Amino acid sequence: MKVLEIMGEQELTGSLRVSGAKNSAVALIPAALLADDDVTICNVPDITDIDSLTEILESLGAKVKRASESIIVDPKPISNKEIPESLAKKLRASYYFMGALLGKYKKVTMYFPGGCSIGERPIDLHLKGFEALGAHVTNDKNKYTVEAEKLIGTNIYLDIASVGATINIMLAAVKAEGVTEIDNAAKEPEIVNVATLLNNMGAKITGAGTSTIKITGVEELHGCFHEVIPDRIEAGTYLIIGALCGKNLKIDNIIPEHLDSLISKLQEIGADLDVGVDYIIVNKEESYKPTNIKTLVYPGFPTDLQQPFTVLLTQCSGKSKVTETIWENRFMHLPYLQAMGAEISLKGQSATILGPIELIGTRVKATDLRAGAAMVAAGLIASGKTTITNVEHILRGYEQIVEKLSSVGAKIESKEI
Ligand code: EPU
């Protein structure tokens, strides 16, 4: 079994370079199959979710070349085969093959996707979007067949501003006849990044990043070159770690405006931040004020940073509150923080955290990706040794986390036990 071992209480200093955004790259790679020619995507993070998507593309027949931080997808040899359930279940983002294959071939057979168990994670809004475009959906247990004679643009209102549904509908609609309008669309930067790739391929998308996206269908999409935006969640995780144990710790290669909600919360508790054009330097402060956070869709406080931020709240003087509104099951890190000494009580979707508390290293579990990041943050400030199990969750989303943190002075090792 692979574990991460951390000897805590080290000061982290130096520079951490943020990689390309996981949640962007995992949509850009399936989107590439819509093109008729090579698509080159650079700044792709080296994480296991990308390996899984590459496997899916290859299972469809695509030629995929990976070189350092780039991936070149040649979609010409692709045939519209069924993606094996074992591959679809490896990650959440396998669902983007639904929109992309439906857009390209007007038919797709797909299994329900995998991913972190942070809630029920239905895909009803994706399917409703496909149906609104004229597709017929049949469902046999966890296998979905979505088929259309032709896809015709229409107005689609999303009941929830879902990231996945917004992207999936864009992927299906780029080659539909006429104009599709998505209302109450999600506004995350990753959506803008996907729309930019599609436009580079020849699509006609406007409004990405606002709540109304218009897609005018085109007949053909060509190859192009595209860059993944920096990962705002990886950056945010390292900023939180910097506030916990950084000394002039530079978080580099970021877009600070993507992190506005986190930056303002960090400033509110009294964090020492120097915000540059594409970097932030962070220093640990002696004490922090408590605060309340509520997770919301972008530009609100991201649910994906809620778990690491909880660790910082254990170091604030007084009572803080965290309210999770996106996922029903995103507090699985709390029992492990409690085992490390944190004073936390959970009622419904709100956790109350009393600080400051000295955390003590012990054996903990990465129950999901961001819970794992929270365990790493906790281990870095805890006294003694923290052993984190189920690290495969962490490696799905954080590129070279051990190497990056070691390079700024953390005592962290990946071990087989
Ligand atoms: N929802 C529905 N029906 C749907 C789709 C979503 O009810 O058809 C609900 C969900 O249950 C949830 C809410 O809508 O309560 C928001 O879900 P959304 O679709 O926005 O989430 P997602 O696309 O499945 C992406 C990220 C998540 C991130 C969320 C919210 C990817 C691959 N995943 O998930 O990232 O938490 O958006 O920002 O992009 C992570 O990186 O750790 C992670 C879980």
Side-chain angles (χ1 to χ4, degrees):
M1 178 176 50
K2 197 181 242 186
V3 297
L4 289 184
E5 268 184 16
I6 302 175
M7 293 302 298
E9 297 181 297
Q10 306 298 315
E11 201 171 63
L12 305 191
T13 188
S15 178
L16 281 173
R17 191 177 185 279
V18 170
S19 303
K22 165 181 105 67
N23 288 346
S24 218
V26 296
L28 297 169
I29 291 170
L33 70 76
L34 280 158
D36 296 325
D37 223 326
D38 286 11
V39 174
T40 303
I41 305 172
C42 69
N43 201 31
V44 176
D46 187 9
I47 50 175
T48 52
D49 266 10
I50 300 297
D51 301 338
S52 305
L53 291 171
T54 305
E55 252 185 277
I56 295 179
L57 271 179
E58 286 172 341
S59 81
L60 293 169
K63 284 204 189 111
V64 185
K65 268 191 243 158
R66 279 175 81 175
S68 71
E69 290 177 345
S70 294
I71 183 161
I72 304 168
V73 180
D74 174 5
K76 287 190 292 296
I78 285 185
S79 59
N80 191 13
K81 284 184 253 170
E82 184 178 304
I83 295 166
E85 185 173 15
S86 56
L87 288 183
K89 273 170 63 179
K90 278 193 172 178
L91 77 170
R92 186 73 189 160
S94 60
Y95 60 18
Y96 290 132
F97 282 98
M98 277 182 141
L101 289 169
L102 179 66
K104 185 157 185 155
Y105 299 105
K106 314 295 173 247
K107 181 174 177 185
V108 58
T109 300
M110 262 292 299
Y111 288 89
F112 196 79
C116 293
S117 302
I118 50 179
E120 202 189 325
R121 310 195 81 174
I123 57 166
D124 56 310
L125 298 173
H126 306 231
L127 300 175
K128 274 190 206 165
F130 299 149
E131 283 174 331
L133 291 168
H136 180 64
V137 179
T138 47
N139 167 216
D140 178 14
K141 293 188 192 135
N142 53 347
K143 181 172 171 177
Y144 295 82
T145 301
V146 188
E147 203 168 355
E149 226 162 82
K150 51 185 175 180
L151 296 170
I152 300 173
T154 186
N155 280 24
I156 299 169
Y157 175 82
L158 294 179
D159 298 336
I160 301 171
S162 152
V163 173
T166 303
I167 293 178
N168 239 339
I169 294 168
M170 282 200 307
L171 296 176
V174 277
K175 293 187 88 179
E177 287 176 22
V179 180
T180 301
E181 181 174 304
I182 310 175
D183 293 313
N184 195 30
K187 295 185 275 202
E188 272 70 359
E190 292 75 20
I191 287 161
V192 181
N193 202 211
V194 176
T196 308
L197 166 77
L198 293 169
N199 283 343
N200 287 345
M201 283 160 55
K204 291 185 178 160
I205 303 174
T206 56
T210 75
S211 54
T212 302
I213 300 179
K214 272 197 188 149
I215 305 139
T216 305
V218 294
E219 281 185 13
E220 282 177 7
L221 293 169
H222 49 77
C224 70
F225 179 88
H226 184 72
E227 188 168 348
V228 184
I229 53 169
D231 195 314
R232 64 195 166 95
I233 306 301
E234 186 197 14
T237 304
Y238 290 143
L239 271 177
I240 291 167
I241 287 174
L244 285 166
C245 53
K247 181 156 191 234
N248 284 327
L249 184 68
K250 185 177 187 188
I251 317 300
D252 209 359
N253 185 40
I254 64 172
I255 301 176
E257 71 179 33
H258 289 172
L259 288 154
D260 277 350
S261 58
L262 174 68
I263 291 171
S264 88
K265 276 293 157 190
L266 288 171
Q267 284 167 338
E268 190 184 315
I269 65 169
D272 173 7
L273 304 179
D274 169 10
V275 181
V277 180
D278 61 355
Y279 66 87
I280 300 178
I281 296 170
V282 54
N283 277 292
K284 173 190 171 267
E285 283 291 332
E286 274 318 301
S287 67
Y288 290 115
K289 286 180 262 179
T291 189
N292 298 331
I293 60 161
K294 188 175 191 174
T295 64
L296 290 169
V297 294
Y298 188 83
F301 193 93
T303 169
D304 298 341
L305 287 175
Q306 174 264 105
Q307 290 156 302
F309 200 80
T310 318
V311 179
L312 183 53
L313 295 178
T314 68
Q315 304 308 303
C316 295
S317 309
K319 197 198 298 184
S320 298
K321 195 170 157 187
V322 173
T323 305
E324 171 63 49
T325 74
I326 311 289
W327 301 115
E328 314 88 84
N329 203 10
R330 222 171 194 183
F331 282 126
M332 287 187 294
H333 59 305
L334 298 187
Y336 296 100
L337 286 181
Q338 285 164 331
M340 294 175 83
E343 283 197 23
I344 303 177
S345 59
L346 180 63
K347 201 168 173 202
Q349 286 303 97
S350 290
T352 303
I353 297 128
L354 278 179
I357 286 285
E358 278 181 27
L359 298 181
I360 301 157
T362 184
R363 190 183 173 101
V364 295
K365 184 170 162 185
T367 54
D368 56 79
L369 169 58
R370 309 302 171 185
M375 292 304 116
V376 171
L380 289 170
I381 56 162
S383 56
K385 184 167 85 177
T386 299
T387 304
I388 307 175
T389 65
N390 295 65
V391 292
E392 61 283 358
H393 285 300
I394 304 175
L395 304 178
R396 280 188 31 229
Y398 288 88
E399 180 178 79
Q400 298 201 320
I401 187 163
V402 172
E403 293 80 355
K404 285 189 186 184
L405 287 172
S406 301
S407 76
V408 291
K411 289 200 172 156
I412 177 169
E413 265 186 277
S414 174
K415 278 193 174 167
E416 283 292 337
I417 58 167

